[in-house]
Amino acid sequence: MREGEFKITMHRGWENQVLSTLEAGALVAEVTGELRDMAVRDAPRARNVKTNWNQIKRNISAFVEKDVRGYYGNVILENNERVRHALLQEYGWTDKGGRRHPGKRYLREVLLKARIE
C-alpha cells in the first residue's frame, strides 16, 4: 500500500469488539453525562425560588454499564419511588376535573438536540 492509504477489514461482530474497549466506555460515559446535564438544564421548574427534595432536576441521574455487546449508558428519571412527576410533565396528564394538560416534551427535545445526524 502507498503512504496515506489504509485497509480496513470488518469481521462479524466487530461492533461488539469496538464497543467493549475502554475508549468506547469513556466516550459513552461522556455522552451520557452530557445528556443528563441537558435533561437537568431543560427540566421544568416551579416558579418559586426554594429548592425541594422532589424537584425533577434533583432526581435525574446517569450510569454506564457493560454487557456482552459493549458499554451502554442510561439516563434515569426519578429513581426514588416517592417522586413520580417527571413523566407526567413529559407526556401530560388529565386532572380530577377532566381537563387535559399537555406534556412539555423536554426529554424528547434533549434527545433531538443531542442526536447525531
Side-chain angles (χ1 to χ4, degrees):
M1 288 192 315
R2 287 181 248 148
E3 187 176 334
E5 292 182 3
F6 68 94
K7 180 180 177 184
I8 186 168
T9 305
M10 294 185 190
H11 301 285
R12 187 178 306 257
W14 68 272
E15 301 98 340
N16 297 346
Q17 293 173 356
V18 170
L19 291 175
S20 295
T21 62
L22 291 177
E23 293 83 5
L27 181 62
V28 168
E30 180 183 339
V31 171
T32 303
E34 289 173 5
L35 284 174
R36 183 211 169 270
D37 294 344
M38 289 171 64
V40 167
R41 203 170 34 247
D42 292 351
R45 289 171 172 71
R47 287 182 173 82
N48 62 0
V49 180
K50 73 177 194 172
T51 58
N52 296 325
W53 66 272
N54 64 348
Q55 282 183 323
I56 294 173
K57 70 177 185 174
R58 290 182 177 265
N59 291 286
I60 298 175
S61 57
F63 70 90
V64 176
E65 288 194 2
K66 183 180 179 184
D67 63 3
V68 293
R69 293 181 295 166
Y71 288 95
Y72 64 94
N74 283 322
V75 176
I76 302 296
L77 292 175
E78 299 180 349
N79 205 16
N80 184 348
E81 63 187 28
R82 292 178 56 206
V83 181
R84 297 185 180 222
H85 64 287
L87 290 180
L88 292 177
Q89 291 287 332
E90 175 72 7
Y91 294 118
W93 72 95
T94 303
D95 63 14
K96 291 180 182 178
R99 291 183 304 269
R100 176 83 182 132
H101 299 271
K104 299 187 186 302
R105 304 283 188 204
Y106 67 99
L107 296 173
R108 182 176 183 271
E109 292 301 319
V110 165
L111 291 175
L112 287 175
K113 281 191 247 180
R115 73 179 176 186
I116 299 172
E117 296 292 330

